[in-house]
Amino acid sequence: MLRIPQPLTPPSICLVAPFAPPYGGMAVQAQQWVDQLTAHGFLVVPVRANRRPSDVSLWSQLPGVRTGVNLARFLRDLVSAFHCTDVVTIFSAFFNYFFWVTFPALLVARAQKKPVILNVRGGAAEAFFHRYGTILRPMMRWVSAVIAPSGFLAQAVERAFGVKALIVPTMVDVDRFPFRIRDFGRARLLAARNLESLYGLDVVLESFARVQKKIPHARLTLVGDGSLRLFLERLAVRLGVASSVQFCGAVPHVEMPAVYDRHDILVNASRVDNLPNVILEAFACGLPVVSTRAGGIPFLVDHGQTGLLVDVDDCDGLARGVLHLLESAESARAMVYKARFEAEKHAPKRVINRFLEVVSFVLSERSR
C-alpha cells in the first residue's frame, strides 16, 4: 500500500485518451474516468486523441493533409492542457496509437516538466513491447508511474522493462446495470464488440450455427460496427442463420444496460484482448459469459466460477459452453452471483480512490 500525504488542494488532472464516438473500450473508460473524477471535485482537462467522425471538412478527406492537421491540433491541445494542470495521465494503446498519441504526449509532457502516469491498455501490449522494446525502454524513464487495469498487463510491463506497474482496475458503474437472473429457455445470445478480426465475430457466428442446430429458436444479436460487417453478414447467410442474427451496428454506451437486459448469455470470441468492458458489464447485470481465454481475460473470468473459457478460435468449444449454460440453469445462476461480486470490485469509487493514491504518490515524490 502506498503511503500518501494528503494535498491541501485537489490536483488538476489532464487525461489524454480517445473519446466516443466511436464507441470502444478505451473511449468508454476514459469518459467514465472524467465523469467520476469531476464528481469527486477534481478539475479534469480531457484531451481527445482521436478525430471526431463528424468532421467532414475538406482537409479531413485528404489522407496526408488530414494526418498533419490532426497531429497539429493534437499537439496544440496538449500544450494548452498541460499548461493548466498538475499531472498528466495518458491512456495508451499500442502499435500505431502509441506513435501517434502516446509518444507525442510524452514529448510535450517532458518539455513542460509535467509528471506522467502512463495507463497501459490493450491485449496487443506484450507483442508491441517485444517488437519495440529497445525504443520504448528510454521512454519508460520519462514517466512517473505506470498503471495497468489487470495483472496480465502489469506482468507484461515488468517482464519487458523491469518496471512495476500498479493495478488500477477497469471501471464499471454497477449501479447502471440492474442485476437479474435470466430465463435461459429463451436462448437470446449477445456479442458486443467492434466487427474487426481481432474480436472473432466469425467464430461467434460459426458457434451460433452449431448452437442453433440443437436449439432452433436461439437468436443472436451483434452490437458494434466495423470493417468486417459485410463479410459477417454474408457469412451468416452462408451458414444458414441470417434470419436469426440481428446486426445492430454501434450502440451508444448509455443504451447498453437495456441491450444486456434483453439477452440471456454474452458470447465473446476475442483473439487479442486485455480486460473487456463488455464482460465486466455482463457480470454486473447477471448475464452469464462464455469467452475465449485471449490475453488478460483469464485474469477476470474464473473458469467454471464466474464464467466459461475456451481456447481462441475454438468454435466447437464456444458452442458447447453456450449449450451448457442453456441446459444447466442452476450452474449458470451460481456463476452469475459470483460474477456480480467480482464486478463490484470494479465499482467507480474503488477505482478512482486507487488512482488518486497513485496521483498523490507521484506528486509527493516530485515535491521532494
Side-chain angles (χ1 to χ4, degrees):
M1 180 64 68
L2 301 175
R3 295 182 179 178
I4 314 291
Q6 295 302 313
L8 297 177
T9 58
S12 53
I13 300 167
C14 176
L15 195 151
V16 181
F19 288 90
Y23 293 91
M26 279 213 300
V28 168
Q29 283 293 301
Q31 190 59 57
Q32 289 187 86
W33 278 52
V34 170
D35 294 343
Q36 291 296 326
L37 286 166
T38 301
H40 279 69
F42 290 85
L43 171 64
V44 183
V45 180
V47 173
R48 185 184 182 94
N50 53 331
R51 183 175 66 89
R52 289 183 178 277
S54 58
D55 187 350
V56 293
S57 57
L58 177 61
W59 64 264
S60 71
Q61 311 305 313
L62 305 171
V65 176
R66 178 178 63 213
T67 300
V69 173
N70 281 337
L71 181 58
R73 284 184 171 182
F74 180 53
L75 292 172
R76 176 202 64 194
D77 293 344
L78 290 174
V79 170
S80 175
F82 291 2
H83 180 72
C84 64
T85 49
D86 299 314
V87 64
V88 176
T89 183
I90 304 170
F91 276 45
S92 182
F94 297 96
F95 288 98
N96 290 345
Y97 182 98
F98 182 89
F99 293 113
W100 287 108
V101 173
T102 307
F103 178 57
L106 287 172
L107 285 176
V108 175
R110 184 172 172 81
Q112 294 197 15
K113 299 181 179 179
K114 294 291 180 178
V116 173
I117 299 170
L118 188 65
N119 190 336
V120 295
R121 301 253 161 185
E126 192 162 28
F128 184 81
F129 295 161
H130 179 74
R131 183 172 181 180
Y132 294 106
T134 303
I135 300 172
L136 296 178
R137 203 159 284 111
M139 296 182 202
M140 297 302 287
R141 294 196 289 269
W142 299 355
V143 304
S144 302
V146 179
I147 61 177
S150 69
F152 168 70
L153 281 179
Q155 289 176 10
V157 170
E158 188 160 9
R159 281 196 297 267
F161 309 112
V163 173
K164 183 174 179 58
L166 305 169
I167 294 180
V168 177
T170 293
M171 185 187 304
V172 59
D173 188 350
V174 292
D175 294 334
R176 288 189 55 237
F177 299 92
F179 180 87
R180 72 173 179 86
I181 298 298
R182 267 52 186 179
D183 173 8
F184 296 104
R186 299 187 321 155
R188 297 297 189 264
L189 313 184
L190 173 66
R193 307 305 298 267
N194 288 332
L195 308 185
E196 304 295 344
S197 177
L198 75 164
Y199 296 125
L201 280 310
D202 55 325
V203 175
V204 171
L205 285 171
E206 296 272 5
S207 301
F208 177 68
R210 291 159 170 76
V211 169
Q212 203 177 49
K213 286 180 181 178
K214 294 283 188 71
I215 305 178
H217 67 272
R219 296 293 182 269
L220 171 66
T221 303
L222 299 182
V223 171
D225 218 334
S227 63
L228 295 185
R229 178 160 182 164
L230 182 59
F231 166 79
L232 293 169
E233 288 174 340
R234 289 173 175 170
L235 178 60
V237 172
R238 182 168 62 81
L239 292 170
V241 297
S243 63
S244 301
V245 177
Q246 180 182 12
F247 287 82
C248 290
V251 172
H253 190 248
V254 69
E255 298 176 17
M256 285 304 295
V259 172
Y260 292 126
D261 196 55
R262 294 194 295 268
H263 293 86
D264 306 313
I265 293 175
L266 179 80
V267 184
N268 181 71
S270 305
R271 294 183 169 104
V272 176
D273 222 326
N274 172 38
L275 202 159
N277 295 340
V278 67
I279 290 181
L280 270 174
E281 291 167 359
F283 278 8
C285 66
L287 198 63
V289 172
V290 183
S291 175
T292 52
R293 50 173 54 89
I297 292 175
F299 286 76
L300 175 61
V301 180
D302 185 356
H303 177 63
Q305 298 298 311
T306 58
L308 297 177
L309 295 175
V310 304
D311 291 338
V312 171
D313 287 331
D314 184 358
C315 300
D316 290 331
L318 208 63
R320 284 195 300 271
V322 169
L323 290 168
H324 173 75
L325 293 177
L326 292 175
E327 296 167 355
S328 307
E330 287 303 315
S331 174
R333 292 189 185 101
M335 287 183 196
V336 298
Y337 282 116
K338 294 173 184 175
R340 171 68 186 199
F341 180 76
E342 177 64 31
E344 289 172 355
K345 299 177 185 176
H346 299 256
K349 185 175 181 180
R350 290 190 179 190
V351 176
I352 292 301
N353 284 346
R354 176 60 176 154
F355 174 65
L356 293 177
E357 288 180 357
V358 178
V359 170
S360 295
F361 175 76
V362 165
L363 291 177
S364 66
E365 288 291 300
R366 188 175 179 81
S367 66
R368 289 184 179 180

